[in-house]
Amino acid sequence: MANPDKQTPATDGVGRFYELQQELSPRRRAPYRLTADIAIPPVTRGQLKALRSTNDDDEQMAIVLGEHADAVEELFADLPSDEWFAFQRDLYAHLFGQGSSELPGGSSGS
């Protein structure tokens, strides 16, 4: 049962949580637009926690791609592997910043 005294910080417009969201809003990363139908949103805290639970590159990519994982896999299935690796590098640079593959937990395939 929800605590009636606890308001949702994102909607109450009060407090440091709300202020941080407002500060980050102008510089927040946009979704990664792969095709007209595939826009991969910025990674959430929940996804970051899930990434830590596996060292498997395919599982990590599925976590990052979220609902688009199957569509992206299908898109690249019959293409040369260098196109897949270029996509991974570009996606991770967009979502995490340049050099993300060198960070602890970064994908070794990206």
Side-chain angles (χ1 to χ4, degrees):
M1 186 166 133
N3 181 347
D5 296 327
K6 184 177 180 183
Q7 293 185 5
T8 304
T11 60
D12 66 8
V14 177
R16 188 64 183 139
F17 183 84
Y18 174 78
E19 291 170 357
L20 287 170
Q21 287 183 320
Q22 299 307 303
E23 290 171 19
L24 290 171
S25 185
R27 59 181 185 220
R28 192 174 303 275
R29 293 185 192 276
Y32 181 93
R33 177 65 65 182
L34 182 60
T35 69
D37 298 326
I38 301 172
I40 302 160
V43 176
T44 65
R45 171 78 173 134
Q47 285 172 298
L48 289 175
K49 290 174 79 172
L51 285 171
R52 288 193 308 230
S53 70
T54 182
N55 289 324
D56 182 90
D57 286 343
D58 290 334
E59 286 180 30
Q60 288 180 344
M61 184 55 70
I63 291 166
V64 170
L65 296 175
E67 68 180 80
H68 301 292
D70 291 339
V72 172
E73 289 292 341
E74 185 177 322
L75 184 66
F76 284 94
D78 297 324
L79 296 177
S81 61
D82 62 343
E83 291 184 35
W84 173 249
F85 294 129
F87 161 69
Q88 284 185 310
R89 281 190 306 274
D90 192 54
L91 174 67
Y92 275 57
H94 177 84
L95 295 177
F96 300 107
Q98 294 295 344
S100 61
S101 63
E102 289 80 40
L103 295 174
S107 174
S108 60
S110 60

